[in-house]
Amino acid sequence: QVQLVESGGGSVQAGGSLRLSCKASGYMIRYNYNHMAWFRQAPGKEREGVAATYTQTGYTFYADSVKGRFAISQDNSKNTFYLQINSAKPEDTGTYYCAAGDTPSTATWYSESRYNYWGQGTQVTVSS
């Protein structure tokens, strides 16, 4: 059974940093996941994609709102991928979800339909 488990969420002041982790079990991310991503959902808003990576090529994608501040990465030896949040802003507050997809897709990187496995979410709160 495939599972994605997030960790690393918490509270941080504006300008601070956090690193979110997403550990995969049931599959090796290097071989089985074509694409992995992080989404977030702020209170009262729809879930949105913030970053993604194509695991085979290392290509990365970012939402305009987080470019230059967030970084997605992976550690194949730990079967884990990460989201580094720097220069956090109050508008970064929300529940962050990791997602992975291992089936061919023409959907954009920020489309939820591209991903068939999801974590349970971890809360990030940025105070001003």
Side-chain angles (χ1 to χ4, degrees), residues 4 24 28-29 37 42 48 59 82 96 102 115:
L4 301 179
M28 296 299 291
I29 63 173
E48 62 174 350
Y59 292 158
Y82 305 94
Y96 283 69
D102 60 358
Y115 307 94

Side-chain angles (χ1 to χ4, degrees), residues 7-24:
S7 62
S11 297
V12 65
Q13 289 192 329
S17 298
L18 279 175
R19 189 177 78 159
L20 308 183
S21 301
C22 180
K23 185 170 178 58

Side-chain angles (χ1 to χ4, degrees), residues 2-126:
V2 175
Q3 279 192 317
L4 301 179
V5 179
E6 301 103 334
S7 62
S11 297
V12 65
Q13 289 192 329
S17 298
L18 279 175
R19 189 177 78 159
L20 308 183
S21 301
C22 180
K23 185 170 178 58
S25 60
Y27 278 92
M28 296 299 291
I29 63 173
R30 179 174 185 176
Y31 299 111
N32 295 104
Y33 294 118
N34 295 326
H35 27 271
M36 298 180 294
W38 288 92
F39 286 73
R40 69 183 178 191
Q41 187 167 24
K45 294 187 177 181
E46 292 187 354
R47 190 157 58 182
E48 62 174 350
V50 294
T53 182
Y54 291 171
T55 58
Q56 300 300 320
T57 63
Y59 292 158
T60 57
F61 306 87
Y62 296 96
D64 288 344
S65 60
V66 307
K67 279 181 182 176
R69 300 189 299 116
F70 287 19
I72 188 170
S73 62
Q74 64 188 82
D75 185 336
N76 294 338
S77 68
K78 296 181 179 179
N79 217 32
T80 300
F81 61 105
Y82 305 94
L83 183 69
Q84 178 69 41
I85 300 173
N86 296 323
S87 301
K89 300 178 179 180
E91 52 263 43
D92 294 327
T93 294
T95 303
Y96 283 69
Y97 300 88
C98 62
D102 60 358
T103 57
S105 174
T106 59
T108 58
W109 69 265
Y110 48 84
S111 174
E112 293 189 24
S113 64
R114 189 177 183 91
Y115 307 94
N116 46 332
Y117 304 113
W118 290 82
Q120 81 288 354
T122 186
Q123 178 67 34
V124 172
T125 302
V126 183

